Amino acid sequence: MIALDLVGVDKNYGGPPVVQDVSLSIEVGETVAIIGPNGAGKTTLFGVMAGETRATKGRVSLFGKDVTRAGARHLAEQGVARTFQVARYFLEKTVEENVVIARLAHQSRYRNLVSKSPRSDDTVDLALDAVGLSSARRRPSATLSHGDRKSLEIAMALAQDPSVLLLDEPTAGMGAEDIPGTIELLKGLRASRPEMTCVITAHDMNVVFALADKVVLLANGRIALQGLPDEVRDAPLTREIYLGNSYREDR
Amino acid sequence: MTTKTAPGTVLPRRPAPKALVGRRAWDVRPLYEPAIFAVVLSIGYFVLPSSWQYTLTIGVIYSLLATSLGILFGWTGTYTFGHAAFFGMGAYATALLRTESWNALLFLGLSAVVAAIAAVVIGLLGGRLVKVEFAMLTMIVGQIAYLLTFKIGPLGGDNGLVGITRGSVFGFDVTSNNSFWIYTIVVIAVVMGILRRINLSSFGASLNAIRDDPVKAASIGLPVKGLRLAAFTLSGAVAGLAGALFAQQGGIVTPDTLSFTFSGQIIIMALLGGMYRFWGPAIGALIFQLLSTAVFGNSSNGTLYLGVILLVVVLVFPKGVLGLLERLSNRFPVLGRLRRGRKA
């Protein structure tokens, strides 16, 4: 079954198209990595998938339902959760409160004027456990390290019981020593939630090849190549437009 | 860096710390905080010389008004430069109905409804606008409302409307100053309690999320526009209710209640106390009122002195008086205990 289906998606911001004629089918439970040089349109395409950017042309469906015109909020209700390249969360709140808010948004409890203060539940606890932030739950989120901010965003996404998880550059800006931990974390998530579909954009090829079932190479807003990770890595085209000739097998 | 546990590891559940997010069975802050507010001010009212009574009565009404502004500025991160319009609408609604001899509370309710309806209309008009654009819209609408009070005959023009009575509540006469104080402080304490409850609810937490990052809020599924509209409506209703109390208190309403100048003063009151704490705007309004009438009221340069004080406040402690308390509490733990109860 197809989780996320893009057909002939174009996007321009009034000027030349940033994304052109992108068609992409992502199966349920699959992990797809989108790679490409800067300016290739990865972030825009990601925005289209998350409902933050509206496609100028083409169709986006989620589990067979047309969501081309649905906004970010409606997609979130349909089970799409995302993280941002620069982690976004609620700075004034503690780690736990951030995850609790994501949880209450998912449960549509924002309408509730009278209830007790938002509470933690098992899903919140599990999300914090899954990213290893249980012991930091009461810390002000603004004091977290860069890597932990990224983890917090993932915990917020998990609190929404996502059926599709979009990870925009999960290791961007991380020190080399933190990257293996994040890869392990994401691998663990994949293993514990086989039904969850995952889309990742990444610059770090270690992340891509460790996690992806399928790799999509984007160049100048178009899909230049897509296939199994090894196929894409070994294709001359990938070397030419992205990895560069200095990228070697023995990384 | 925090110690990471292996992915998927389930940690043994520790006993929940006391102040953990909403683990308590029932949050009692909405009950005791307004009670303390009402009792302390009532002691002041009855102990201080009677010349303070007027100042305190207006002060608590402004407290409610400034709190209604805090719903927008502090809780939601929505800015408005025309907040006096709702206060004025509430005051005029009560004034127009002055010949009716209803329960005094009914006037408050009707004024709140009138202001809430106006807020819904303005909120819908400005649904696509954010930040300064929306603030400009509220300013323009506020100015239009102000000018209309001169143009519409039944509103009395420059002279406003006089002869508003305080009436009675369930048979209790509230026309005397002392009985009116009790009526006012009880109404305000109840409304503040309700607002505190809302502030601490899931709805309140969602508003904070929108304030901190609207893009993230939408991406986790919060209806940003809808919640902003709800906050604007709630804020308008509370301001309208405060306006009705103001009309009952003075027996007169004038176009000044809707003026741009007054809108600015409401912002100053809230800033003075601190926007980001629930009680900040209320305390700021009281300080503003005490300074402007009781302390500098008799001086010909009073406004100037007040201006200088406000300038210092804004420059030296931008988070207001409660923000200052918070800073001090890092040095003096006793204050810290005081403050934690106030955290919005």
Side-chain angles (χ1 to χ4, degrees):
Chain A
M1 191 188 172
I2 308 279
L4 196 56
D5 196 23
L6 280 69
V7 183
V9 167
D10 274 22
K11 175 67 194 176
N12 64 61
Y13 295 100
V18 183
V19 167
Q20 260 187 92
D21 195 27
V22 167
S23 296
L24 182 62
S25 293
I26 301 170
E27 296 273 342
V28 169
E30 202 174 23
T31 299
V32 173
I34 301 173
I35 61 170
N38 285 328
K42 296 189 299 280
T43 301
T44 301
L45 187 61
F46 217 69
V48 169
M49 290 180 190
E52 263 139 37
T53 312
R54 260 176 213 180
T56 323
K57 229 172 78 185
R59 220 176 87 97
V60 183
S61 351
L62 183 70
F63 300 109
K65 228 160 94 185
D66 187 353
V67 292
T68 318
R69 308 252 133 236
R73 180 200 151 206
H74 291 288
L75 282 178
E77 279 175 352
Q78 311 285 326
V80 178
R82 75 162 293 180
T83 66
F84 291 82
Q85 190 165 346
V86 175
R88 296 186 92 129
Y89 55 92
F90 308 114
L91 273 170
E92 302 282 322
K93 305 280 178 187
T94 64
V95 168
E96 180 176 31
E97 282 166 346
N98 266 283
V99 182
V100 165
I101 288 171
R103 184 78 189 137
L104 77 86
H106 173 73
Q107 295 173 324
S108 298
R109 282 196 296 140
Y110 48 78
R111 290 190 202 92
N112 200 330
L113 299 171
V114 250
S115 71
K116 300 170 219 189
S117 310
R119 331 182 53 163
S120 252
D121 59 14
D122 289 345
T123 312
V124 170
D125 292 342
L126 285 175
L128 285 167
D129 281 349
V131 301
L133 280 176
S134 287
S135 54
R137 61 197 304 155
R138 294 190 59 196
R139 267 176 66 179
S141 59
T143 66
L144 291 181
S145 72
H146 184 83
D148 284 347
R149 290 174 186 203
K150 290 278 200 185
S151 299
L152 171 57
E153 241 201 337
I154 293 172
M156 290 172 79
L158 292 179
Q160 297 175 69
D161 284 333
S163 45
V164 176
L165 178 62
L166 308 174
L167 300 166
D168 196 358
E169 298 279 0
T171 56
M174 272 189 191
E177 71 281 9
D178 286 345
I179 292 177
T182 303
I183 291 176
E184 281 313 303
L185 191 161
L186 294 175
K187 268 188 172 168
L189 286 184
R190 294 303 303 129
S192 61
R193 296 165 200 246
E195 287 295 292
M196 188 171 70
T197 309
C198 224
V199 184
I200 300 176
T201 68
H203 267 101
D204 190 318
M205 289 303 117
N206 296 326
V207 176
V208 172
F209 296 119
L211 295 167
D213 301 317
K214 192 165 107 183
V215 177
V216 175
L217 173 66
L218 213 60
N220 296 323
R222 291 176 181 276
I223 294 184
L225 195 65
Q226 56 176 309
L228 297 172
D230 289 341
E231 288 168 19
V232 174
R233 183 178 55 201
D234 297 335
L237 188 64
T238 313
R239 247 153 240 266
E240 189 189 318
I241 55 182
Y242 186 48
L243 296 178
N245 289 323
S246 60
Y247 185 81
R248 285 200 297 273
E249 293 287 325
D250 55 29
R251 62 211 136 88
Chain B
M1 177 119 195
T2 325
T3 36
K4 284 213 192 244
T5 45
T9 315
V10 178
L11 296 176
R13 194 85 358 119
R14 287 166 299 142
K18 231 169 149 191
L20 208 61
V21 200
R23 290 275 188 186
R24 270 170 295 185
W26 185 254
D27 196 326
V28 287
R29 282 175 287 179
L31 296 176
Y32 75 78
E33 286 175 356
I36 293 173
F37 182 77
V39 168
V40 168
L41 287 170
S42 294
I43 291 171
Y45 182 93
F46 289 110
V47 168
L48 290 170
S50 60
S51 58
W52 286 73
Q53 292 181 353
Y54 170 79
T55 303
L56 277 172
T57 311
I58 295 294
V60 288
I61 293 172
Y62 285 177
S63 285
L64 187 62
L65 176 61
T67 303
S68 77
L69 187 81
I71 296 172
L72 298 176
F73 277 65
W75 307 10
T76 321
T78 296
Y79 304 119
T80 156
F81 295 154
H83 205 58
F86 299 118
F87 182 76
M89 277 178 218
Y92 272 93
T94 290
L96 283 172
L97 295 164
R98 64 195 180 282
T99 50
E100 307 291 339
S101 51
W102 297 330
N103 186 322
L105 290 173
L106 190 57
F107 290 98
L108 303 188
L110 281 171
S111 290
V113 169
V114 167
I117 291 170
V120 170
V121 173
I122 297 167
L124 287 174
L125 272 177
R128 302 194 140 265
L129 308 178
V130 287
K131 299 282 166 190
V132 178
E133 297 165 356
F134 184 76
M136 295 313 283
L137 174 81
T138 59
M139 188 178 95
I140 292 162
V141 172
Q143 282 302 86
I144 291 171
Y146 174 65
L147 293 174
L148 284 178
T149 56
F150 295 98
K151 298 288 177 198
I152 298 175
L155 297 183
D158 232 344
N159 300 322
L161 295 172
V162 291
I164 304 152
T165 52
R166 292 174 175 178
S168 62
V169 183
F170 304 120
F172 294 101
D173 185 274
V174 293
T175 45
S176 79
N177 279 346
N178 286 354
S179 60
F180 188 76
W181 166 265
I182 292 167
Y183 156 73
T184 304
I185 198 72
V186 168
V187 166
I188 289 175
V190 169
V191 175
M192 291 296 270
I194 293 169
L195 290 178
R196 185 58 159 149
R197 177 72 264 147
I198 294 174
N199 171 252
L200 295 168
S201 70
S202 301
F203 173 77
S206 307
L207 294 184
N208 292 168
I210 289 173
R211 173 196 68 199
D212 292 346
D213 188 341
V215 173
K216 181 69 182 183
S219 97
I220 61 171
L222 291 176
V224 175
K225 279 184 203 166
L227 285 169
R228 277 201 184 118
L229 180 64
F232 197 65
T233 308
L234 175 67
S235 170
V238 175
L241 192 153
L245 277 174
F246 181 82
Q248 290 176 334
Q249 196 281 330
I252 175 172
V253 293
T254 63
D256 282 349
T257 53
L258 295 99
S259 71
F260 180 56
T261 316
F262 190 52
S263 288
Q265 281 177 354
I266 306 169
I267 296 175
I268 290 169
M269 292 174 198
L271 272 179
L272 192 58
M275 295 279 191
Y276 300 108
R277 294 281 171 270
F278 178 83
W279 289 99
I283 290 169
L286 284 169
I287 296 172
F288 180 91
Q289 183 59 17
L290 293 180
L291 285 178
S292 63
T293 62
V295 183
F296 299 123
N298 300 325
S299 157
S300 55
N301 290 329
T303 324
L304 181 66
Y305 297 144
L306 186 64
V308 171
I309 288 186
L310 293 175
L311 188 68
V312 170
V313 166
V314 171
L315 290 177
V316 181
F317 29 99
K319 285 190 174 172
V321 172
L322 290 191
L324 177 74
L325 272 182
E326 185 174 342
R327 254 204 270 168
L328 289 176
S329 71
N330 294 336
R331 223 167 287 174
F332 308 106
V334 182
L335 281 172
R337 246 166 278 144
L338 224 160
R339 166 181 68 90
R340 265 190 290 284
R342 293 242 164 89
K343 209 161 177 183

